[in-house]
Amino acid sequence: MLMAHPAVLNDLVEQYEALQALHGEAGAPDVRRRMEDVAYTLCVSTGTRDIDAALTAARNRLLAAGTGARPQHASLQPS
């Protein structure tokens, strides 16, 4: 499987999180549509089928790549 460049993954995660915040506040159809597009791209880029798994995989790859990104879930934090 091809692996997305860490900069691409980082950008996608940041876009998704920003759109998620906007969707929570405004709920506009164009924001929802863009959020779905970014979610799809994250899933394809990480080889996953749902956004939660895609975000986890992306964050883990970013952590492994040394970008300083940290997984959000406590069980994924290095001990």
Side-chain angles (χ1 to χ4, degrees):
M1 176 174 92
L2 292 175
M3 302 269 277
H5 190 277
V8 172
L9 286 177
N10 192 52
D11 183 55
L12 288 168
V13 170
E14 287 177 358
Q15 281 185 59
Y16 186 81
E17 291 171 345
L19 289 164
Q20 191 174 33
L22 282 174
H23 181 64
E25 293 174 9
D30 58 326
V31 173
R32 180 180 45 82
R33 193 168 26 259
R34 179 67 183 136
M35 196 166 105
E36 290 169 357
D37 289 345
V38 173
Y40 174 80
T41 305
L42 264 168
C43 287
V44 170
S45 298
T46 58
T48 57
R49 292 181 177 241
D50 67 76
I51 188 59
D52 292 329
L55 288 168
T56 298
R59 289 182 180 120
N60 285 336
R61 287 189 194 159
L62 291 169
L63 182 62
T67 62
R70 299 276 180 232
Q72 287 186 333
H73 194 276
S75 68
L76 298 174
Q77 295 286 341
S79 46

